[in-house]
Amino acid sequence: MVRPTMEDVAARAGVSRALVSLVMRGSPKVSDQRRAAVLKAAEELGYSPHAMARSLASRTSHVLGVMVSDLHNAFFAEVVDGLDAVAAEQGFELIINTGGRSPTRERRALRSLLSFRPAGLVLLSPVVPAADIAQAADHTPVVLVARSSRLSTVDTVNDDGERGIGLAVDHLVSLGHKRIAHLDGGGGTQAAPRRRGYLTAMASHGLPPRVVGSEYTDAGGARAVQGLLDDLPTAIISCNDFNAIGAISALEEAGFRVPHDVSVVGYDNTSLAALRHVSLTTVDQPRNEFGRLAAGALLQRVRGERDEPVRHLLHPSLVVRTTTAPPVRPA
Amino acid sequence: MVRPTMEDVAARAGVSRALVSLVMRGSPKVSDQRRAAVLKAAEELGYSPHAMARSLASRTSHVLGVMVSDLHNAFFAEVVDGLDAVAAEQGFELIINTGGRSPTRERRALRSLLSFRPAGLVLLSPVVPAADIAQAADHTPVVLVARSSRLSTVDTVNDDGERGIGLAVDHLVSLGHKRIAHLDGGGGTQAAPRRRGYLTAMASHGLPPRVVGSEYTDAGGARAVQGLLDDLPTAIISCNDFNAIGAISALEEAGFRVPHDVSVVGYDNTSLAALRHVSLTTVDQPRNEFGRLAAGALLQRVRGERDEPVRHLLHPSLVVRTTTAPPVRPA
DNA sequence: CTACAGCCTTAGAGCGCTCCAACAAATAGA
DNA sequence: TCTATTTGTTGGAGCGCTCTAAGGCTGTAG
């Protein structure tokens, strides 16, 4: 259970500890003969370098810390895939932990990550106050994904929610819809730009807006629809996919068919939306790209290539499935 | 950007580095006055201890490494919640990384985790060969979740899939079903015990089994159902929730209603199953409990309280929703 | 007034590694 | 031949911390 150290390898190979260090770091200035001897000894002992000792001694880190606010949400998994790809490519490793959407746990997670002295930090949709983020950013480069910030020390990567909802509105209008309601995400993370996008797009088409208060859950979507039943629009744009699925259930329970009687559009293109049983028309965020850009921005900071903040605002795209169709009822 | 060290805090508080160390570790043998001074200095400097230096010096680690085979699967998120709860309670921290269901990436993830010299390792449904696991277990305590092993050096936590499917069969039989088919998970992780549970339970009720090859996806479930259409059973037990949802879509597309014409049971009780639009009767695994038990077992090993392997086999439970009902067609 | 407990506090060694300066040996240039 | 230069190797200091053993200080007892 006690792991061998460089000293052990050096003794076994009959060389100095420094030489073993050179071999482990792949230095070219080691003779082939010694290199082979060292590698052989390392192999025999089952030696592997001690990352912490290494980074302590070298005063550098090849670790990026990733704080995922909610591990239950597959959204983040794809962002992590993007991060991982870029990090691996550039010789960095990821350590992840999670805040469970609670500021307390999240702050703990942040402290834990920072205690490993990572080269940089990626925060995925954090819920901690900006002050905590600013404090972290004092010590190490930070990039925020799915959360905006005015801090000049942090970079951000977000989707253009205003534009995303605009795509949904345009799609429905082009199908012939005029009475289009928006189920609003309330105080949720990206609710405001989405609502704004809805209002702007409706106005640009000269249509009267109709915003209904709701939330990011399927129960919320169902409830909102129940309030719409007396005066049903021909199309509904939900604040996210869960909400849309709740809306669809409530519509079907009330005897309406989707998309025949009402078209429904979601947001996020979660894996749910792709299920054939759901097959939801929705707005897709380039999640993998989020991760890639976040890693890229972070590594620029890590290498000291940039000082001014970067604000990535990515273009969402509409994925048309089978919950939208031209209206059949009088518009 | 350069972080303060203990030395800095000591200088500012006018005490020695060792005293700061005692304060940071919460030692009782420090006078209140000095303690306050040290904490104040630390606060002012924004000091936080360097986890790596600490564990290097103390030759101990309060870190548990967690390898999640697939971050996209919310199953693991709940296991992590359980792990996190127990770890936090006992003063341990989690570092997570992911293998993306690829043996190569997983091996890399394993190496990365090990390089932090964690006190122990939790592997959630790993896909690497047993030899890699054995090797890791040579260096540090390892517990496997959702994967069995015969290695005497590793503990395991699994659900009793045989029993889980048995619950589903019993439920359907008690509703009056006699023609019950099983959509099999093929070579998937827990497919074998589930199939075995189905066969055993059917036999114990004196019913003829009908196993249909399928896989753990909604497309797989749909395809399997298409092959059943000429001779439809009155109930279907899927290998997991995705498969069940695919099966339901295919049934509905073929003009059958669930549960009126066919009852369907899933497995896993994913968050999908709870959506009102889906409302799937399914078998629940105590995921949070998986995590708690895994952490518990690991910490026993870490503290050297136990040497022999432990095999936890947890009881799944049936969650009855609205996709099962008594059969109306002749059985 | 000395002795001996406590109780706090501190110096110093050392964890596994990197990196620098120094050096021996081999090669090149004069 | 002798001095440069290059190439390969090494000892030692030090990264930020913990931990042991050995202090300094009080206060009380002898």
Side-chain angles (χ1 to χ4, degrees):
Chain A
M1 216 58 135
V2 93
R3 308 206 58 168
T5 74
M6 246 181 197
E7 207 73 56
D8 299 324
V9 177
R12 181 168 192 114
V15 299
S16 73
R17 189 190 58 249
L19 212 240
V20 176
S21 172
L22 288 175
V23 172
M24 288 302 150
R25 282 175 288 145
S27 160
K29 34 170 100 181
V30 177
S31 67
D32 291 345
Q33 183 200 353
R34 303 272 195 168
R35 180 188 308 280
V38 167
L39 291 176
K40 180 158 164 288
E43 177 67 32
E44 287 166 0
L45 291 173
Y47 171 81
S48 84
H50 190 316
M52 307 167 120
R54 172 177 283 190
S55 96
L56 185 58
S58 65
R59 264 141 290 188
T60 64
S61 166
H62 282 199
V63 171
L64 301 182
V66 180
M67 213 277 306
V68 181
S69 68
D70 185 6
L71 227 44
H72 297 76
N73 189 336
F75 179 93
F76 299 114
E78 289 189 42
V79 180
V80 170
D81 285 342
L83 288 169
D84 193 55
V86 173
E89 209 166 81
Q90 313 217 10
F92 282 76
E93 285 171 358
L94 258 37
I95 64 179
I96 303 171
N97 74 174
T98 174
R101 285 236 156 272
S102 127
T104 319
R105 260 184 79 187
E106 210 168 88
R107 193 173 292 122
R108 206 181 75 206
L110 219 54
R111 247 194 300 111
S112 168
L113 282 177
L114 246 14
S115 79
F116 288 99
R117 300 294 189 268
L121 221 48
V122 183
L123 308 184
L124 303 187
S125 194
V127 299
V128 287
D132 289 292
I133 296 173
Q135 198 185 357
D138 280 349
H139 297 307
T140 188
V142 170
V143 46
L144 257 37
V145 176
R147 163 152 176 181
S148 42
S149 169
R150 276 161 293 106
L151 292 168
S152 68
T153 47
V154 313
D155 300 326
T156 59
V157 180
N158 285 286
D159 100 307
D160 188 345
E162 208 165 324
R163 184 182 176 120
I165 292 286
L167 292 174
V169 173
D170 293 351
H171 167 63
L172 290 169
V173 168
S174 77
L175 287 173
H177 291 272
K178 294 196 162 46
R179 295 171 52 215
I180 304 170
H182 176 49
L183 307 194
D184 177 54
T189 328
Q190 298 292 321
R194 290 180 191 175
R195 181 174 47 242
R196 212 160 46 230
Y198 167 75
L199 293 172
T200 310
M202 289 297 276
S204 82
H205 288 293
L207 296 173
R210 184 166 174 201
V211 174
V212 181
S214 189
E215 44 181 295
Y216 282 152
T217 62
D218 75 315
R223 234 175 293 123
V225 162
Q226 272 143 19
L228 283 175
L229 290 177
D230 330 328
D231 179 22
L232 210 55
T234 64
I236 292 176
I237 299 178
S238 280
C239 50
N240 77 347
D241 286 353
F242 287 106
N243 184 280
I245 289 171
I248 292 173
S249 318
L251 285 167
E252 287 178 344
E253 281 165 24
F256 296 98
R257 281 181 300 150
V258 175
H260 185 264
D261 300 310
V262 184
S263 287
V264 177
V265 182
Y267 203 109
D268 282 346
N269 193 24
T270 53
S271 57
L272 270 183
L275 289 175
R276 45 189 299 154
H277 184 55
V278 176
S279 188
L280 181 70
T281 295
T282 186
V283 180
D284 181 68
Q285 304 190 44
R287 285 163 279 204
N288 194 78
E289 192 65 14
F290 277 16
R292 305 188 76 94
L293 286 174
L298 192 58
L299 291 174
Q300 286 182 342
R301 289 250 195 192
V302 166
R303 287 189 294 254
E305 294 168 9
R306 180 169 48 74
D307 269 332
E308 334 76 60
V310 138
R311 308 271 176 246
H312 287 294
L313 202 60
L314 301 198
H315 290 174
S317 59
L318 189 74
V319 179
V320 178
R321 294 206 180 86
T322 60
T323 55
T324 47
V328 297
R329 289 179 296 138
Chain B
M1 217 57 134
V2 94
R3 306 210 59 171
T5 75
M6 242 177 202
E7 206 74 58
D8 300 323
V9 177
R12 182 168 192 114
V15 298
S16 73
R17 189 189 61 246
L19 213 239
V20 177
S21 171
L22 287 175
V23 172
M24 289 303 153
R25 282 176 287 146
S27 160
K29 32 171 101 181
V30 177
S31 64
D32 291 345
Q33 184 200 354
R34 302 274 194 170
R35 181 189 307 280
V38 167
L39 289 176
K40 179 159 163 288
E43 177 67 33
E44 287 165 1
L45 291 173
Y47 170 81
S48 83
H50 190 315
M52 305 166 124
R54 173 177 282 194
S55 95
L56 185 58
S58 65
R59 267 139 287 185
T60 65
S61 165
H62 283 194
V63 170
L64 301 183
V66 181
M67 213 276 306
V68 180
S69 68
D70 185 6
L71 227 42
H72 296 75
N73 190 337
F75 179 93
F76 298 115
E78 290 190 41
V79 180
V80 170
D81 286 342
L83 288 170
D84 193 55
V86 173
E89 208 166 83
Q90 313 218 10
F92 282 76
E93 285 172 357
L94 259 36
I95 63 179
I96 303 170
N97 73 176
T98 174
R101 285 236 155 272
S102 127
T104 319
R105 259 185 80 188
E106 210 167 89
R107 194 174 292 120
R108 206 181 76 205
L110 220 52
R111 247 193 300 112
S112 168
L113 282 177
L114 246 13
S115 78
F116 289 98
R117 300 292 191 267
L121 222 47
V122 183
L123 308 183
L124 304 186
S125 195
V127 299
V128 287
D132 289 289
I133 296 174
Q135 198 185 356
D138 279 349
H139 297 307
T140 189
V142 170
V143 46
L144 258 36
V145 176
R147 164 152 176 181
S148 42
S149 168
R150 276 162 292 106
L151 293 168
S152 68
T153 46
V154 313
D155 301 325
T156 58
V157 180
N158 286 285
D159 101 306
D160 188 345
E162 208 165 324
R163 185 183 176 117
I165 292 286
L167 293 174
V169 172
D170 294 350
H171 167 63
L172 291 169
V173 168
S174 77
L175 287 173
H177 291 274
K178 296 198 160 43
R179 296 171 53 216
I180 304 170
H182 176 50
L183 308 193
D184 177 54
T189 329
Q190 297 293 322
R194 291 180 190 174
R195 181 173 50 242
R196 212 159 47 229
Y198 167 76
L199 293 173
T200 309
M202 290 297 276
S204 83
H205 288 293
L207 296 173
R210 185 167 173 199
V211 174
V212 181
S214 189
E215 44 178 297
Y216 282 152
T217 61
D218 75 315
R223 234 176 292 124
V225 161
Q226 274 144 19
L228 282 175
L229 289 178
D230 328 329
D231 178 22
L232 211 55
T234 63
I236 291 175
I237 299 178
S238 280
C239 50
N240 76 348
D241 287 352
F242 287 106
N243 184 280
I245 290 171
I248 292 173
S249 321
L251 286 166
E252 288 177 343
E253 281 165 24
F256 296 98
R257 282 180 300 150
V258 175
H260 185 266
D261 299 312
V262 183
S263 287
V264 177
V265 182
Y267 204 111
D268 282 346
N269 192 26
T270 52
S271 57
L272 270 183
L275 290 175
R276 44 189 302 153
H277 186 54
V278 175
S279 187
L280 180 68
T281 294
T282 185
V283 179
D284 181 68
Q285 304 190 44
R287 285 163 280 204
N288 195 80
E289 193 63 14
F290 277 17
R292 304 189 76 94
L293 287 174
L298 192 57
L299 290 175
Q300 286 183 341
R301 291 250 195 193
V302 167
R303 288 190 293 253
E305 295 168 9
R306 181 170 46 75
D307 269 332
E308 335 74 60
V310 138
R311 308 269 177 248
H312 287 292
L313 202 59
L314 300 198
H315 290 175
S317 59
L318 189 72
V319 179
V320 178
R321 293 205 181 87
T322 61
T323 56
T324 48
V328 296
R329 292 179 295 135

